Amino acid sequence: MRKLMMVMGASMLAAAPVVSADILGVGATVGYWDADYSGEASKGNDRVDLERDLNLSSDSNANLTAYFEHPVPVLPNVRLAYTRTKQSGNGELVTGYDNVVGRVRSELELEQLDVTLYYEILDNWVNLDLGLTVRDFSGELLVQNRNDASQFSETKAEAVLPLVYVAARFDLPFTGVSVGGDANAITYDGDSVYDFNVYGQYEMSLLQLRAGYRQISLDYDDGDDNLDIELSGPFVSAGLRF
């Protein structure tokens, strides 16, 4: 994985044209994502279905972004993004999972921090950004028997991954209205991460309002632990751009 990160980073720098923002720009957003989980977790040969067996439902989430754009050629712009989702539920394991069986209480948490270096290829009514994201993510599933605390299981996956970053936006001139989307993705040695969103946006002075749909698909092995999950749902966000 480290070798892959070096190759992707070198390719990005070698292919980067002399492009930059017209002016200095700083912005930040905060959002709410109504995400639902689906998929499976496994530990060794044991598997559990997140919806059918654990009956997970949304508890909380946090979505924050910040970016810095500048007019200096060659040097990339910088974008930071943080996502945290947490779901819990009461279910029943008939066949058992990692020696846990019967009525269970479960909690699944996913947390990720992105650092993206990108170039503005187009910057007018059609906007196109290309870059590289380094994502530090962790996922943890806790399953415990509701009547016997000694029956307890923990499934974890942690990694730092490089992802290709693409973002596009189309502005309707003189209206403040635009539509767009962005994506981060990688597939490598049987593991994969796909993260994309599409949105509609309205800007008024410094204020930026956005609503859309986001989906994350994650299939990652960490030793005997595997998370093969999908999060998807609508989101809204508000931000300031200077």
Side-chain angles (χ1 to χ4, degrees), residues 139-167:
E140 182 179 54
L141 172 65
L142 304 177
V143 182
Q144 185 173 28
N145 187 294
R146 294 167 61 187
N147 301 314
D148 183 358
S150 66
Q151 292 190 30
F152 179 83
S153 173
E154 182 180 38
T155 305
K156 300 181 67 174
E158 298 178 336
V160 177
L161 300 173
L163 301 97
V164 174
Y165 173 76
V166 180

PDB file of all heavy atoms in Angstrom, residues 139-167:
ATOM      1  N   GLY A 139     -13.101   1.521  11.390  1.00  0.00           N
ATOM      2  CA  GLY A 139     -14.448   1.012  11.565  1.00  0.00           C
ATOM      3  C   GLY A 139     -14.457  -0.010  12.686  1.00  0.00           C
ATOM      4  O   GLY A 139     -13.524  -0.813  12.815  1.00  0.00           O
ATOM      5  N   GLU A 140     -15.497   0.024  13.522  1.00  0.00           N
ATOM      6  CA  GLU A 140     -15.555  -0.881  14.672  1.00  0.00           C
ATOM      7  C   GLU A 140     -16.991  -1.341  14.898  1.00  0.00           C
ATOM      8  O   GLU A 140     -17.906  -0.528  14.978  1.00  0.00           O
ATOM      9  CB  GLU A 140     -15.034  -0.173  15.920  1.00  0.00           C
ATOM     10  CG  GLU A 140     -14.998  -1.048  17.159  1.00  0.00           C
ATOM     11  CD  GLU A 140     -14.458  -0.306  18.365  1.00  0.00           C
ATOM     12  OE1 GLU A 140     -14.996   0.789  18.680  1.00  0.00           O
ATOM     13  OE2 GLU A 140     -13.502  -0.782  18.977  1.00  0.00           O
ATOM     14  N   LEU A 141     -17.161  -2.656  14.971  1.00  0.00           N
ATOM     15  CA  LEU A 141     -18.459  -3.254  15.280  1.00  0.00           C
ATOM     16  C   LEU A 141     -18.373  -3.976  16.614  1.00  0.00           C
ATOM     17  O   LEU A 141     -17.530  -4.861  16.801  1.00  0.00           O
ATOM     18  CB  LEU A 141     -18.857  -4.251  14.187  1.00  0.00           C
ATOM     19  CG  LEU A 141     -20.105  -5.088  14.467  1.00  0.00           C
ATOM     20  CD1 LEU A 141     -21.345  -4.203  14.546  1.00  0.00           C
ATOM     21  CD2 LEU A 141     -20.279  -6.181  13.414  1.00  0.00           C
ATOM     22  N   LEU A 142     -19.231  -3.576  17.551  1.00  0.00           N
ATOM     23  CA  LEU A 142     -19.307  -4.207  18.865  1.00  0.00           C
ATOM     24  C   LEU A 142     -20.626  -4.964  18.961  1.00  0.00           C
ATOM     25  O   LEU A 142     -21.686  -4.398  18.665  1.00  0.00           O
ATOM     26  CB  LEU A 142     -19.222  -3.163  19.976  1.00  0.00           C
ATOM     27  CG  LEU A 142     -18.000  -2.247  19.968  1.00  0.00           C
ATOM     28  CD1 LEU A 142     -18.101  -1.226  21.094  1.00  0.00           C
ATOM     29  CD2 LEU A 142     -16.713  -3.058  20.100  1.00  0.00           C
ATOM     30  N   VAL A 143     -20.559  -6.215  19.379  1.00  0.00           N
ATOM     31  CA  VAL A 143     -21.749  -7.052  19.544  1.00  0.00           C
ATOM     32  C   VAL A 143     -21.688  -7.698  20.917  1.00  0.00           C
ATOM     33  O   VAL A 143     -20.684  -8.348  21.265  1.00  0.00           O
ATOM     34  CB  VAL A 143     -21.838  -8.136  18.452  1.00  0.00           C
ATOM     35  CG1 VAL A 143     -23.108  -8.963  18.635  1.00  0.00           C
ATOM     36  CG2 VAL A 143     -21.800  -7.522  17.061  1.00  0.00           C
ATOM     37  N   GLN A 144     -22.762  -7.562  21.716  1.00  0.00           N
ATOM     38  CA  GLN A 144     -22.777  -8.109  23.066  1.00  0.00           C
ATOM     39  C   GLN A 144     -24.137  -8.727  23.371  1.00  0.00           C
ATOM     40  O   GLN A 144     -25.183  -8.163  23.032  1.00  0.00           O
ATOM     41  CB  GLN A 144     -22.463  -7.028  24.093  1.00  0.00           C
ATOM     42  CG  GLN A 144     -22.335  -7.552  25.522  1.00  0.00           C
ATOM     43  CD  GLN A 144     -21.867  -6.471  26.481  1.00  0.00           C
ATOM     44  OE1 GLN A 144     -22.107  -5.296  26.269  1.00  0.00           O
ATOM     45  NE2 GLN A 144     -21.183  -6.881  27.531  1.00  0.00           N
ATOM     46  N   ASN A 145     -24.106  -9.892  24.009  1.00  0.00           N
ATOM     47  CA  ASN A 145     -25.329 -10.535  24.457  1.00  0.00           C
ATOM     48  C   ASN A 145     -25.999  -9.658  25.518  1.00  0.00           C
ATOM     49  O   ASN A 145     -25.364  -9.214  26.466  1.00  0.00           O
ATOM     50  CB  ASN A 145     -25.012 -11.919  25.026  1.00  0.00           C
ATOM     51  CG  ASN A 145     -26.262 -12.713  25.344  1.00  0.00           C
ATOM     52  OD1 ASN A 145     -27.041 -12.362  26.218  1.00  0.00           O
ATOM     53  ND2 ASN A 145     -26.452 -13.805  24.623  1.00  0.00           N
ATOM     54  N   ARG A 146     -27.297  -9.405  25.364  1.00  0.00           N
ATOM     55  CA  ARG A 146     -27.997  -8.497  26.269  1.00  0.00           C
ATOM     56  C   ARG A 146     -28.209  -9.098  27.656  1.00  0.00           C
ATOM     57  O   ARG A 146     -28.465  -8.362  28.625  1.00  0.00           O
ATOM     58  CB  ARG A 146     -29.341  -8.111  25.658  1.00  0.00           C
ATOM     59  CG  ARG A 146     -29.199  -7.286  24.384  1.00  0.00           C
ATOM     60  CD  ARG A 146     -30.509  -7.170  23.622  1.00  0.00           C
ATOM     61  NE  ARG A 146     -31.533  -6.512  24.417  1.00  0.00           N
ATOM     62  CZ  ARG A 146     -32.797  -6.408  24.046  1.00  0.00           C
ATOM     63  NH1 ARG A 146     -33.191  -6.944  22.885  1.00  0.00           N
ATOM     64  NH2 ARG A 146     -33.686  -5.794  24.811  1.00  0.00           N
ATOM     65  N   ASN A 147     -28.084 -10.403  27.772  1.00  0.00           N
ATOM     66  CA  ASN A 147     -28.297 -11.065  29.064  1.00  0.00           C
ATOM     67  C   ASN A 147     -27.035 -11.665  29.659  1.00  0.00           C
ATOM     68  O   ASN A 147     -27.048 -12.130  30.798  1.00  0.00           O
ATOM     69  CB  ASN A 147     -29.353 -12.173  28.914  1.00  0.00           C
ATOM     70  CG  ASN A 147     -30.691 -11.632  28.428  1.00  0.00           C
ATOM     71  OD1 ASN A 147     -31.170 -10.624  28.945  1.00  0.00           O
ATOM     72  ND2 ASN A 147     -31.275 -12.291  27.429  1.00  0.00           N
ATOM     73  N   ASP A 148     -25.948 -11.662  28.884  1.00  0.00           N
ATOM     74  CA  ASP A 148     -24.694 -12.266  29.350  1.00  0.00           C
ATOM     75  C   ASP A 148     -23.534 -11.416  28.842  1.00  0.00           C
ATOM     76  O   ASP A 148     -23.120 -11.524  27.687  1.00  0.00           O
ATOM     77  CB  ASP A 148     -24.571 -13.702  28.839  1.00  0.00           C
ATOM     78  CG  ASP A 148     -23.320 -14.409  29.356  1.00  0.00           C
ATOM     79  OD1 ASP A 148     -22.521 -13.772  30.076  1.00  0.00           O
ATOM     80  OD2 ASP A 148     -23.141 -15.596  29.015  1.00  0.00           O
ATOM     81  N   ALA A 149     -23.015 -10.537  29.699  1.00  0.00           N
ATOM     82  CA  ALA A 149     -21.971  -9.605  29.294  1.00  0.00           C
ATOM     83  C   ALA A 149     -20.676 -10.299  28.896  1.00  0.00           C
ATOM     84  O   ALA A 149     -19.828  -9.689  28.225  1.00  0.00           O
ATOM     85  CB  ALA A 149     -21.697  -8.621  30.428  1.00  0.00           C
ATOM     86  N   SER A 150     -20.488 -11.550  29.278  1.00  0.00           N
ATOM     87  CA  SER A 150     -19.267 -12.265  28.910  1.00  0.00           C
ATOM     88  C   SER A 150     -19.241 -12.646  27.431  1.00  0.00           C
ATOM     89  O   SER A 150     -18.190 -12.927  26.878  1.00  0.00           O
ATOM     90  CB  SER A 150     -19.107 -13.525  29.768  1.00  0.00           C
ATOM     91  OG  SER A 150     -20.135 -14.469  29.492  1.00  0.00           O
ATOM     92  N   GLN A 151     -20.414 -12.656  26.791  1.00  0.00           N
ATOM     93  CA  GLN A 151     -20.480 -12.900  25.349  1.00  0.00           C
ATOM     94  C   GLN A 151     -20.334 -11.565  24.625  1.00  0.00           C
ATOM     95  O   GLN A 151     -21.279 -10.797  24.496  1.00  0.00           O
ATOM     96  CB  GLN A 151     -21.803 -13.578  24.967  1.00  0.00           C
ATOM     97  CG  GLN A 151     -21.960 -14.994  25.458  1.00  0.00           C
ATOM     98  CD  GLN A 151     -23.167 -15.676  24.842  1.00  0.00           C
ATOM     99  OE1 GLN A 151     -23.569 -15.378  23.720  1.00  0.00           O
ATOM    100  NE2 GLN A 151     -23.759 -16.598  25.590  1.00  0.00           N
ATOM    101  N   PHE A 152     -19.139 -11.309  24.178  1.00  0.00           N
ATOM    102  CA  PHE A 152     -18.797 -10.000  23.623  1.00  0.00           C
ATOM    103  C   PHE A 152     -17.874 -10.180  22.427  1.00  0.00           C
ATOM    104  O   PHE A 152     -16.932 -10.986  22.474  1.00  0.00           O
ATOM    105  CB  PHE A 152     -18.109  -9.146  24.689  1.00  0.00           C
ATOM    106  CG  PHE A 152     -17.681  -7.782  24.214  1.00  0.00           C
ATOM    107  CD1 PHE A 152     -18.588  -6.735  24.176  1.00  0.00           C
ATOM    108  CD2 PHE A 152     -16.378  -7.553  23.809  1.00  0.00           C
ATOM    109  CE1 PHE A 152     -18.194  -5.481  23.739  1.00  0.00           C
ATOM    110  CE2 PHE A 152     -15.981  -6.301  23.378  1.00  0.00           C
ATOM    111  CZ  PHE A 152     -16.897  -5.265  23.348  1.00  0.00           C
ATOM    112  N   SER A 153     -18.121  -9.431  21.341  1.00  0.00           N
ATOM    113  CA  SER A 153     -17.284  -9.506  20.146  1.00  0.00           C
ATOM    114  C   SER A 153     -16.945  -8.108  19.654  1.00  0.00           C
ATOM    115  O   SER A 153     -17.769  -7.194  19.716  1.00  0.00           O
ATOM    116  CB  SER A 153     -18.011 -10.274  19.030  1.00  0.00           C
ATOM    117  OG  SER A 153     -17.277 -10.208  17.823  1.00  0.00           O
ATOM    118  N   GLU A 154     -15.721  -7.951  19.143  1.00  0.00           N
ATOM    119  CA  GLU A 154     -15.260  -6.690  18.577  1.00  0.00           C
ATOM    120  C   GLU A 154     -14.613  -6.965  17.221  1.00  0.00           C
ATOM    121  O   GLU A 154     -13.654  -7.718  17.117  1.00  0.00           O
ATOM    122  CB  GLU A 154     -14.262  -6.000  19.508  1.00  0.00           C
ATOM    123  CG  GLU A 154     -13.766  -4.658  19.006  1.00  0.00           C
ATOM    124  CD  GLU A 154     -12.782  -4.018  19.981  1.00  0.00           C
ATOM    125  OE1 GLU A 154     -11.974  -4.763  20.579  1.00  0.00           O
ATOM    126  OE2 GLU A 154     -12.819  -2.791  20.133  1.00  0.00           O
ATOM    127  N   THR A 155     -15.159  -6.349  16.166  1.00  0.00           N
ATOM    128  CA  THR A 155     -14.615  -6.461  14.818  1.00  0.00           C
ATOM    129  C   THR A 155     -14.119  -5.090  14.401  1.00  0.00           C
ATOM    130  O   THR A 155     -14.877  -4.119  14.426  1.00  0.00           O
ATOM    131  CB  THR A 155     -15.689  -6.956  13.824  1.00  0.00           C
ATOM    132  OG1 THR A 155     -16.246  -8.187  14.299  1.00  0.00           O
ATOM    133  CG2 THR A 155     -15.090  -7.173  12.444  1.00  0.00           C
ATOM    134  N   LYS A 156     -12.832  -5.004  14.000  1.00  0.00           N
ATOM    135  CA  LYS A 156     -12.235  -3.702  13.721  1.00  0.00           C
ATOM    136  C   LYS A 156     -11.506  -3.727  12.384  1.00  0.00           C
ATOM    137  O   LYS A 156     -10.979  -4.750  11.952  1.00  0.00           O
ATOM    138  CB  LYS A 156     -11.242  -3.314  14.829  1.00  0.00           C
ATOM    139  CG  LYS A 156     -11.848  -3.203  16.212  1.00  0.00           C
ATOM    140  CD  LYS A 156     -10.803  -2.790  17.243  1.00  0.00           C
ATOM    141  CE  LYS A 156     -10.305  -1.382  17.007  1.00  0.00           C
ATOM    142  NZ  LYS A 156      -9.394  -0.921  18.080  1.00  0.00           N
ATOM    143  N   ALA A 157     -11.464  -2.562  11.745  1.00  0.00           N
ATOM    144  CA  ALA A 157     -10.670  -2.371  10.534  1.00  0.00           C
ATOM    145  C   ALA A 157     -10.112  -0.963  10.566  1.00  0.00           C
ATOM    146  O   ALA A 157     -10.858   0.008  10.774  1.00  0.00           O
ATOM    147  CB  ALA A 157     -11.515  -2.583   9.284  1.00  0.00           C
ATOM    148  N   GLU A 158      -8.803  -0.845  10.375  1.00  0.00           N
ATOM    149  CA  GLU A 158      -8.139   0.454  10.385  1.00  0.00           C
ATOM    150  C   GLU A 158      -7.113   0.489   9.256  1.00  0.00           C
ATOM    151  O   GLU A 158      -6.442  -0.502   8.987  1.00  0.00           O
ATOM    152  CB  GLU A 158      -7.435   0.709  11.718  1.00  0.00           C
ATOM    153  CG  GLU A 158      -8.349   0.746  12.930  1.00  0.00           C
ATOM    154  CD  GLU A 158      -7.584   0.950  14.227  1.00  0.00           C
ATOM    155  OE1 GLU A 158      -6.380   0.614  14.267  1.00  0.00           O
ATOM    156  OE2 GLU A 158      -8.191   1.435  15.193  1.00  0.00           O
ATOM    157  N   ALA A 159      -6.994   1.660   8.610  1.00  0.00           N
ATOM    158  CA  ALA A 159      -6.035   1.772   7.512  1.00  0.00           C
ATOM    159  C   ALA A 159      -5.848   3.230   7.126  1.00  0.00           C
ATOM    160  O   ALA A 159      -6.679   4.085   7.440  1.00  0.00           O
ATOM    161  CB  ALA A 159      -6.502   0.971   6.300  1.00  0.00           C
ATOM    162  N   VAL A 160      -4.736   3.495   6.439  1.00  0.00           N
ATOM    163  CA  VAL A 160      -4.498   4.766   5.769  1.00  0.00           C
ATOM    164  C   VAL A 160      -4.388   4.446   4.280  1.00  0.00           C
ATOM    165  O   VAL A 160      -3.506   3.691   3.875  1.00  0.00           O
ATOM    166  CB  VAL A 160      -3.221   5.458   6.274  1.00  0.00           C
ATOM    167  CG1 VAL A 160      -2.971   6.742   5.494  1.00  0.00           C
ATOM    168  CG2 VAL A 160      -3.329   5.750   7.773  1.00  0.00           C
ATOM    169  N   LEU A 161      -5.299   5.007   3.476  1.00  0.00           N
ATOM    170  CA  LEU A 161      -5.414   4.624   2.077  1.00  0.00           C
ATOM    171  C   LEU A 161      -5.306   5.841   1.161  1.00  0.00           C
ATOM    172  O   LEU A 161      -5.792   6.920   1.490  1.00  0.00           O
ATOM    173  CB  LEU A 161      -6.770   3.950   1.818  1.00  0.00           C
ATOM    174  CG  LEU A 161      -7.081   2.674   2.599  1.00  0.00           C
ATOM    175  CD1 LEU A 161      -8.516   2.256   2.345  1.00  0.00           C
ATOM    176  CD2 LEU A 161      -6.122   1.563   2.201  1.00  0.00           C
ATOM    177  N   PRO A 162      -4.677   5.680  -0.014  1.00  0.00           N
ATOM    178  CA  PRO A 162      -4.700   6.724  -1.036  1.00  0.00           C
ATOM    179  C   PRO A 162      -5.896   6.528  -1.960  1.00  0.00           C
ATOM    180  O   PRO A 162      -6.241   5.398  -2.318  1.00  0.00           O
ATOM    181  CB  PRO A 162      -3.385   6.498  -1.783  1.00  0.00           C
ATOM    182  CG  PRO A 162      -3.195   5.010  -1.715  1.00  0.00           C
ATOM    183  CD  PRO A 162      -3.789   4.558  -0.396  1.00  0.00           C
ATOM    184  N   LEU A 163      -6.563   7.605  -2.329  1.00  0.00           N
ATOM    185  CA  LEU A 163      -7.706   7.537  -3.227  1.00  0.00           C
ATOM    186  C   LEU A 163      -7.580   8.609  -4.306  1.00  0.00           C
ATOM    187  O   LEU A 163      -7.075   9.706  -4.044  1.00  0.00           O
ATOM    188  CB  LEU A 163      -9.021   7.733  -2.470  1.00  0.00           C
ATOM    189  CG  LEU A 163      -9.349   6.742  -1.344  1.00  0.00           C
ATOM    190  CD1 LEU A 163      -8.952   7.316   0.014  1.00  0.00           C
ATOM    191  CD2 LEU A 163     -10.840   6.422  -1.332  1.00  0.00           C
ATOM    192  N   VAL A 164      -8.051   8.285  -5.487  1.00  0.00           N
ATOM    193  CA  VAL A 164      -8.140   9.272  -6.562  1.00  0.00           C
ATOM    194  C   VAL A 164      -9.321  10.202  -6.264  1.00  0.00           C
ATOM    195  O   VAL A 164     -10.398   9.748  -5.877  1.00  0.00           O
ATOM    196  CB  VAL A 164      -8.330   8.583  -7.921  1.00  0.00           C
ATOM    197  CG1 VAL A 164      -8.565   9.619  -9.015  1.00  0.00           C
ATOM    198  CG2 VAL A 164      -7.117   7.725  -8.253  1.00  0.00           C
ATOM    199  N   TYR A 165      -9.118  11.500  -6.438  1.00  0.00           N
ATOM    200  CA  TYR A 165     -10.147  12.502  -6.148  1.00  0.00           C
ATOM    201  C   TYR A 165     -10.543  13.234  -7.423  1.00  0.00           C
ATOM    202  O   TYR A 165      -9.681  13.720  -8.176  1.00  0.00           O
ATOM    203  CB  TYR A 165      -9.611  13.508  -5.124  1.00  0.00           C
ATOM    204  CG  TYR A 165     -10.523  14.690  -4.876  1.00  0.00           C
ATOM    205  CD1 TYR A 165     -11.666  14.568  -4.097  1.00  0.00           C
ATOM    206  CD2 TYR A 165     -10.231  15.950  -5.429  1.00  0.00           C
ATOM    207  CE1 TYR A 165     -12.495  15.653  -3.862  1.00  0.00           C
ATOM    208  CE2 TYR A 165     -11.056  17.043  -5.191  1.00  0.00           C
ATOM    209  CZ  TYR A 165     -12.183  16.881  -4.413  1.00  0.00           C
ATOM    210  OH  TYR A 165     -13.009  17.955  -4.180  1.00  0.00           O
ATOM    211  N   VAL A 166     -11.840  13.313  -7.681  1.00  0.00           N
ATOM    212  CA  VAL A 166     -12.386  14.047  -8.823  1.00  0.00           C
ATOM    213  C   VAL A 166     -13.601  14.829  -8.339  1.00  0.00           C
ATOM    214  O   VAL A 166     -14.453  14.282  -7.632  1.00  0.00           O
ATOM    215  CB  VAL A 166     -12.811  13.106  -9.966  1.00  0.00           C
ATOM    216  CG1 VAL A 166     -13.375  13.920 -11.137  1.00  0.00           C
ATOM    217  CG2 VAL A 166     -11.650  12.249 -10.439  1.00  0.00           C
ATOM    218  N   ALA A 167     -13.684  16.100  -8.719  1.00  0.00           N
ATOM    219  CA  ALA A 167     -14.841  16.926  -8.366  1.00  0.00           C
ATOM    220  C   ALA A 167     -15.225  17.783  -9.570  1.00  0.00           C
ATOM    221  O   ALA A 167     -14.347  18.330 -10.255  1.00  0.00           O
ATOM    222  CB  ALA A 167     -14.552  17.807  -7.161  1.00  0.00           C
TER     223      ALA A 167
END
